[in-house]
Amino acid sequence: MEASRHEVDVANLGVNLSQEEVSQARDRFQAGVANNIEVVTAQDALARAFDNQIEALYRYNQSRADLSHAVGQIEGMYTK
């Protein structure tokens, strides 16, 4: 479960970094020093980062459910 939680943290950092890259690419495009392909590439990377984040959150929640089931407390997991 700790490993999957770490994956979520890494995925969150990836999203933050990708958001910064999109912002910087847009700034460069508006300044006229980059073309729109750079912006689209950064946006594509951001979409992939969001996908990675969703997958990491799914794996984390699945591991939480597996652990709760293993210790016989699956019902308690959903009441918190």
Side-chain angles (χ1 to χ4, degrees), residues 5 7-17 19 49 53 56-57:
R5 179 64 194 152
E7 286 181 30
V8 170
D9 293 338
V10 170
N12 289 339
L13 290 173
V15 167
N16 292 339
L17 178 62
Q19 288 173 328
Q53 183 185 45
L57 286 167

Side-chain angles (χ1 to χ4, degrees), residues 2-44:
E2 286 183 34
S4 60
R5 179 64 194 152
H6 180 68
E7 286 181 30
V8 170
D9 293 338
V10 170
N12 289 339
L13 290 173
V15 167
N16 292 339
L17 178 62
S18 293
Q19 288 173 328
E20 289 178 25
E21 289 175 359
V22 168
S23 178
Q24 291 173 2
R26 286 181 180 156
D27 291 344
R28 287 191 296 274
F29 177 71
Q30 290 175 350
V33 295
N35 57 29
N36 63 341
I37 293 173
E38 185 177 338
V39 175
V40 171
T41 302
Q43 290 171 334
D44 182 57

Side-chain angles (χ1 to χ4, degrees), residues 25-79:
R26 286 181 180 156
D27 291 344
R28 287 191 296 274
F29 177 71
Q30 290 175 350
V33 295
N35 57 29
N36 63 341
I37 293 173
E38 185 177 338
V39 175
V40 171
T41 302
Q43 290 171 334
D44 182 57
L46 178 58
R48 280 184 274 126
F50 278 128
D51 288 343
N52 292 340
Q53 183 185 45
I54 291 167
E55 289 174 15
L57 286 167
Y58 173 81
R59 284 191 297 274
Y60 173 67
N61 284 314
Q62 184 65 51
S63 67
R64 286 180 58 221
D66 290 345
L67 177 61
S68 294
H69 182 266
V71 297
Q73 296 179 355
I74 193 76
E75 294 85 11
M77 182 182 155
Y78 296 105
T79 59

